[in-house]
Amino acid sequence: MAGETRIVLGGFGNVGQQIASRLAADPSGAIRIVAIAARNKDKAAESAARFGLNVPIISAAEAPEYDATLVECATYDSFRDVVEPTLRTGGRVLAVSVGALAVNFDLIDIAEETGARLQIAGGTLPGLDIIRAASEGEITSVTLTSHINPASFAHEPFIHERGIDLVPAETGPVDIFEGSAREAAGHFPRHFNVAVTLALAGIGLDRTQVHIRADGSLPGARHTLTVEANSVSLEMTSQNYPSPQNNRTSMVVALSILAALRRETATVQIGS
């Protein structure tokens, strides 16, 4: 099929299954899943059958054999294992769990050495295009203020070690953290893909500032982005809504992956 985009799903949890569900309902067939890379192959095969997917269930090491874009939708802990084989063979990776890059920056070096492409699906955060444009000039400051459901922090060591009481956060914002994007990704690696994405688009992990508030009064994660630059001054807020299948994941995560894939073959491409 002309213009067909072939993908291997690197992980088949909530996000991977959302992608599969939407593609199963897409009559165009423009994006085709050709394999699923999963640690638990039996479980992945069982889940794939529910979406009518009859594709090979493989290991991440086998993904480069399929001449397809690897769509990483796994976890922080498995990020490296999922993406490294494809990067080492010069392939293309579309990644979600990029908080893991904060401690795996050598993967970018590997991609540069092999000619691989590592694309970050950034549709969960507002303003990335304008930040990338502003970074061609001079950016003075970038601040991300995130309001996150307190249930997402319930088992985080950072919370318990500092004795932070999350009960008041059920009805309003409670300050949790202020510091750099690098520190935020280190303390909350499973939650702050957005901080690393923002830092890579703009002024880096150490200059990008992050404020985190636990807030149970909102319907999902809310991110407010403030930027000062010689070309633009802006403040943007996104209110993300939780996935019906897993309220710890924003619904827009899977949609941002699909949007990025569709852009590759679009006649008119929106975004810088």
Side-chain angles (χ1 to χ4, degrees):
M1 179 183 296
E4 179 186 75
T5 298
R6 294 163 51 89
I7 65 172
V8 172
L9 289 177
F12 204 52
N14 178 49
V15 173
Q17 290 180 37
Q18 283 188 61
I19 294 170
S21 176
R22 289 187 173 270
L23 291 182
D26 181 2
S28 75
I31 302 171
R32 183 161 69 95
I33 300 169
V34 298
I36 297 170
R39 287 181 175 177
N40 188 330
K41 293 185 180 181
D42 291 339
K43 183 177 179 181
E46 182 180 335
S47 297
R50 295 202 301 269
F51 301 103
L53 267 177
N54 183 20
V55 299
I57 310 298
I58 62 173
S59 69
E62 298 173 277
E65 300 171 15
Y66 284 81
D67 187 29
T69 296
L70 175 70
V71 176
E72 178 276 317
C73 44
T75 64
Y76 170 87
D77 294 322
S78 61
F79 178 81
R80 186 179 188 102
D81 290 340
V82 171
V83 306
E84 186 172 4
T86 296
L87 294 179
R88 285 197 177 277
T89 53
R92 182 190 173 210
V93 173
L94 178 58
V96 172
S97 309
V98 294
L101 276 178
V103 293
N104 288 285
F105 262 99
D106 65 303
L107 290 172
I108 296 176
D109 297 329
I110 290 169
E112 290 178 346
E113 291 167 5
T114 64
R117 180 151 56 120
L118 175 59
Q119 182 179 354
I120 296 169
T124 60
L125 194 65
L128 289 181
D129 267 356
I130 199 168
I131 290 173
R132 289 173 54 234
S135 68
E136 294 291 332
E138 181 181 350
I139 298 177
T140 307
S141 66
V142 177
T143 302
L144 173 68
T145 302
S146 293
H147 290 237
I148 308 293
N149 191 294
S152 296
F153 295 125
H155 302 293
E156 291 293 340
F158 182 91
I159 301 297
H160 297 288
E161 289 166 4
R162 287 158 179 78
I164 298 173
D165 183 6
L166 292 176
V167 173
E170 296 297 334
T171 55
V174 171
D175 287 334
I176 297 295
F177 169 86
E178 289 193 14
S180 70
R182 187 185 302 276
E183 292 169 325
H187 291 308
F188 306 98
R190 292 162 185 80
H191 303 290
F192 275 86
N193 298 322
V194 289
V196 174
T197 300
L198 176 60
L200 291 174
I203 57 177
L205 287 166
D206 297 311
R207 292 180 60 200
T208 302
Q209 294 299 298
V210 177
H211 300 170
I212 302 172
R213 296 181 177 121
D215 192 346
S217 68
L218 301 174
R222 176 179 291 176
H223 302 296
T224 298
L225 183 59
T226 305
V227 177
E228 294 297 333
N230 65 349
S231 59
V232 66
S233 177
L234 69 91
E235 182 175 82
M236 302 180 71
T237 297
S238 66
Q239 174 63 68
N240 299 343
Y241 298 115
S243 162
Q245 292 77 24
N246 182 347
N247 63 11
R248 295 188 179 186
T249 301
S250 294
M251 189 189 309
V252 75
V253 172
L255 301 182
S256 73
I257 294 170
L258 291 170
L261 291 168
R262 293 192 196 284
R263 186 179 185 274
E264 287 299 300
T265 55
T267 302
V268 178
Q269 295 191 348
I270 307 299
S272 58

